[in-house]
Amino acid sequence: MFGINIRTIERPGLEDRALLEVFLHGFGLFWEGQPDVSVLVEDDGNRLIGTGSLSGNVIKMMAVDPEWQEYGLSGTIVSSLVEWGRARGKTHFFVFTKPESADPFIRFGFREIARYDPFAVLLEMGIPGIDQFREYLSSCRRGDIPAGKVGGVVVNCNPFTRGHLFLIERAASLSAHLYVVVVEADLSSFPFRDRIEMVKCGTSHLPNVTVLRSGDYAVSPATFPSYFLKDASQAEIASIQARIDVTLFGNLFVPELGISVRFVGTEPYCPVTGAYNEAMREVLPPLGVDLHVIPRLEIERGLVVSASMVRSMLKCGNWEIVRKMVPDCTWEYLHTDRGKDAVERIRRAQGRH
């Protein structure tokens, strides 16, 4: 395009990040972690007039100067990001944006899968997409469920604790059948394949429980990126993202699995998770889904079991508290080679996950 310069920068450094943060702030947007690549569009005076970034398969932090919006810069930025991703084997992309900014993406081939007016819309393009995931959910649905409520729980289990087990056992006792959805995003200290195996092992004694993966459609970098950032200063955006995530759960998991009640533990500590629980209270009942809140498990007076506490104890080497907080399957895993690798990652890590 005449009169502009397009720069594609992999993992932007501090100088470019500072430039992008100031530009995004002018559009009410925030810097959301380190992207894999950013596209910067500059005019012939080297002034930044548009940008967009790609993290994994999620296009984010898109903004175009209003004076240039009629020149198709959004399409140019999206095309550059998708081309970069496809060159590296990506075939499926998401966009989390404002409703009024959705049209350029739809023209490019994206389709809407969730909306929270007037704040946000989630779109996707490519395969395997939501249609293929519906088929997966359909294959997981039990056809022999007796009359009664069908429950749903979404858990990360980083790692699987006695608190998770308490929640699942209690939910299973209140349900004809319970679907336990394990967050598939591999952005936690414990990898997904280990987390889901811990959950399957720890719940194998419950005949009315089915454990399944979340795909990109529940608490993922596409649907709820704030969950993985845990930045309390971005509570407003976390609240919006949470409502998109819960809406997608209601539109996808609920009908495909026949879920009529979602179970969740109380959240006394984390404001981001607290925002998610509040979103469920608002979004689920109009969709015909009850929300059942179960108090957290305490192993001692005032000492609540949580995965973050387990990670903290692993970090400082307090194995006595860890043993009290995790079931046998997790304890045994922690002493395997893969478990020891995860513990070492926790000891070296700076963040919460």
Side-chain angles (χ1 to χ4, degrees):
M1 187 181 296
F2 180 76
I4 67 169
N5 176 50
I6 301 174
R7 290 196 290 146
T8 300
I9 304 173
E10 296 184 10
R11 301 191 67 80
L14 293 177
E15 184 177 346
D16 289 315
R17 171 177 172 170
L19 176 66
L20 291 170
E21 283 184 324
V22 172
F23 185 75
L24 291 169
H25 183 72
F27 296 86
L29 300 174
F30 299 91
W31 182 261
E32 299 177 36
Q34 178 65 62
D36 298 320
V37 64
S38 293
V39 171
L40 284 70
V41 183
E42 298 164 330
D43 64 14
D44 53 11
N46 295 322
R47 181 176 66 94
L48 185 62
I49 57 175
T51 187
S53 296
L54 183 68
S55 293
N57 64 344
V58 183
I59 296 173
K60 57 174 61 175
M61 298 183 284
M62 282 275 303
V64 174
D65 188 312
E67 295 181 5
W68 287 84
Q69 287 181 356
E70 64 184 57
Y71 292 92
L73 291 191
S74 293
T76 300
I77 294 168
V78 173
S79 178
S80 298
L81 293 171
V82 169
E83 181 180 349
W84 187 93
R86 284 176 172 165
R88 288 152 183 81
K90 300 181 188 299
T91 61
H92 181 218
F93 299 90
F94 287 96
V95 174
F96 194 107
T97 190
K98 296 179 179 179
E100 63 268 24
S101 302
D103 284 350
F105 298 104
I106 293 173
R107 289 195 296 268
F108 195 84
F110 283 82
R111 67 166 174 167
E112 180 180 320
I113 60 173
R115 172 181 288 258
Y116 174 55
D117 281 326
F119 301 103
V121 62
L122 180 66
L123 306 102
E124 75 164 1
M125 178 181 70
I127 55 174
I130 196 168
D131 292 335
Q132 288 74 31
F133 194 71
R134 285 186 190 278
E135 293 174 2
Y136 165 72
L137 292 178
S138 180
S139 72
C140 295
R141 183 167 182 166
R142 294 286 296 270
D144 56 347
I145 300 174
K149 291 185 177 181
V150 176
V153 176
V154 178
V155 290
N156 191 29
C157 295
N158 183 37
F160 184 58
T161 69
R162 291 184 186 272
H164 294 117
L165 181 57
F166 176 78
L167 171 65
I168 293 169
E169 287 180 333
R170 178 64 176 154
S173 73
L174 297 171
S175 306
H177 197 80
L178 179 71
Y179 292 99
V180 178
V181 181
V182 182
V183 172
E184 193 166 352
D186 252 331
L187 297 175
S188 300
S189 303
F190 295 89
F192 168 70
R193 70 173 184 175
D194 295 348
R195 289 184 285 110
I196 195 167
E197 284 306 316
M198 280 187 272
V199 177
K200 287 179 177 179
C201 173
T203 61
S204 60
H205 63 293
L206 300 171
N208 67 330
V209 168
T210 297
V211 179
L212 61 156
R213 60 185 178 86
S214 70
D216 290 317
Y217 301 100
V219 192
S220 77
T223 64
F224 193 27
S226 291
Y227 175 81
F228 302 96
L229 297 176
K230 297 292 188 184
D231 187 346
S233 68
Q234 296 189 16
E236 183 177 353
I237 188 66
S239 175
I240 294 169
Q241 292 172 356
R243 281 159 175 77
I244 283 283
D245 188 276
V246 177
T247 298
L248 186 55
F249 179 86
N251 293 342
L252 179 59
F253 291 85
V254 167
E256 295 302 325
L257 298 175
I259 292 172
S260 57
V261 56
R262 182 159 170 179
F263 295 92
V264 64
T266 51
E267 180 46 67
Y269 303 122
C270 177
V272 174
T273 307
Y276 190 84
N277 287 2
E278 185 60 35
M280 285 190 284
R281 291 188 186 94
E282 176 187 315
V283 174
L284 290 178
L287 298 176
V289 180
D290 296 330
L291 179 66
H292 191 120
V293 180
I294 295 176
R296 289 282 194 100
L297 175 67
E298 295 185 8
I299 56 171
E300 297 174 6
R301 184 174 178 83
L303 184 56
V304 176
V305 177
S306 71
S308 59
M309 177 62 74
V310 170
R311 295 194 302 275
S312 295
M313 294 300 99
L314 288 170
K315 193 175 185 71
C316 68
N318 190 334
W319 287 92
E320 181 180 354
I321 296 297
V322 171
R323 186 65 189 98
K324 291 180 179 180
M325 288 195 170
V326 300
D328 292 344
C329 60
T330 303
W331 180 254
E332 292 167 4
Y333 163 79
L334 290 172
H335 291 84
T336 65
D337 289 341
R338 292 183 61 81
K340 291 175 183 177
D341 288 344
V343 172
E344 185 57 31
R345 284 194 295 273
I346 290 169
R347 288 175 175 167
R348 294 196 306 263
Q350 300 298 318
R352 285 175 55 96
H353 277 264

